[in-house]
Amino acid sequence: MIDPYTNLTILFQGDSVTDAGRSRTNDAELGGGYPMFIQGQLSAAHPAHNITILNRGISGDRSIDLVNRWTEDCIDLKPDVVSILIGVNDTWRRYDSNVPTSTEEYAQNFGTILERVKTELDAKIVIIEPFLMPVSPAQNDWREDLDPKIHVARALAQKYDAIYIPMDGIFAAAACHTGLSYWASDGVHPTSAGHSLIAQSWLKATGLA
């Protein structure tokens, strides 16, 4: 759980799912995705508390890209909470660009940034499980690449005492009632309902709801 009764700076990191059209020049413009939904809920629930939300997601990023920009886009910002969603592009680039990221490379990259958070910031870590809703037959093949990476994320969450949000499973359960495309029309990028479900799951897991 995270204590809202302190001056919190929460950093959201990841790829296009986190980016969601955020501004590169104005930190108050968080984009149209789950960081914005979370910010709205936190502002309504804790109006008297100084909670700052930062979004540094970048569309197209893989785990190695987070490693390469981690000093500027995480360490230098000195957040109290670091929330990370990364992994689907490590899988996707194998299939659309023939640029694979092995499970071992993903584990090394993810472990590197988490170790830096713990040793250089001592911030609380939140890991959102990478997810895929295979809306096309071809995307079913992606599971053999993504599923081992999900297991890596789970193991790293345990190692670094992170709050873990099993988003792949949460979406799978929700899709039983609606179909997959309701939550992500292309299987990767959430609809507004999908972003809302991520935000709800994040707030519940962190105790900030």
Side-chain angles (χ1 to χ4, degrees):
M1 298 295 182
I2 296 169
D3 181 8
Y5 299 98
T6 57
N7 294 329
L8 285 177
T9 295
I10 303 172
L11 170 66
F12 290 97
Q13 265 291 1
D15 51 36
S16 58
V17 178
T18 303
D19 183 333
R22 61 135 178 132
S23 173
R24 269 41 175 187
T25 58
N26 184 353
D27 283 343
E29 297 178 7
L30 296 170
Y34 72 91
M36 182 268 293
F37 284 90
I38 290 170
Q39 192 273 340
Q41 289 295 314
L42 289 177
S43 296
H46 308 288
H49 306 301
N50 184 22
I51 300 176
T52 300
I53 305 293
L54 300 174
N55 185 353
R56 290 296 186 274
I58 294 182
S59 180
D61 265 12
R62 298 174 296 153
S63 57
I64 187 60
D65 299 302
L66 266 61
V67 172
N68 291 337
R69 62 184 179 85
W70 206 241
T71 297
E72 178 182 3
D73 284 345
C74 180
I75 304 300
D76 288 352
L77 300 174
K78 295 180 170 51
D80 304 292
V81 179
V82 180
S83 179
I84 307 168
L85 168 56
I86 197 70
V88 73
N89 286 328
D90 292 76
T91 288
W92 199 347
R93 295 294 85 83
R94 170 183 171 182
Y95 296 95
D96 71 351
S97 304
N98 195 28
V99 182
T101 299
S102 70
T103 301
E104 293 74 20
E105 289 171 322
Y106 176 75
Q108 180 176 353
N109 294 338
F110 210 162
T112 294
I113 62 175
L114 294 176
E115 184 66 22
R116 292 195 66 190
V117 171
K118 276 299 184 185
T119 59
E120 298 177 49
L121 295 173
D122 193 30
K124 186 62 182 176
I125 297 169
V126 182
I127 295 176
I128 303 174
E129 183 174 85
F131 55 83
L132 173 68
M133 284 161 278
V135 298
S136 68
Q139 285 181 323
N140 285 313
D141 296 336
W142 297 14
R143 300 288 341 181
E144 69 170 344
D145 189 280
L146 183 63
D147 286 353
K149 292 179 171 64
I150 289 174
H151 290 299
V152 165
R154 292 172 180 171
L156 288 172
Q158 183 175 18
K159 178 178 179 179
Y160 287 96
D161 191 29
I163 295 172
Y164 191 79
I165 303 169
M167 210 62 229
D168 191 62
I170 292 170
F171 273 128
C176 290
H177 306 286
T178 61
L180 296 167
S181 61
Y182 181 85
W183 304 104
S185 58
D186 67 352
V188 173
H189 297 96
T191 60
S192 60
H195 277 292
S196 294
L197 186 56
I198 297 172
Q200 290 173 11
S201 303
W202 194 97
L203 289 164
K204 181 178 179 181
T206 59
L208 291 172

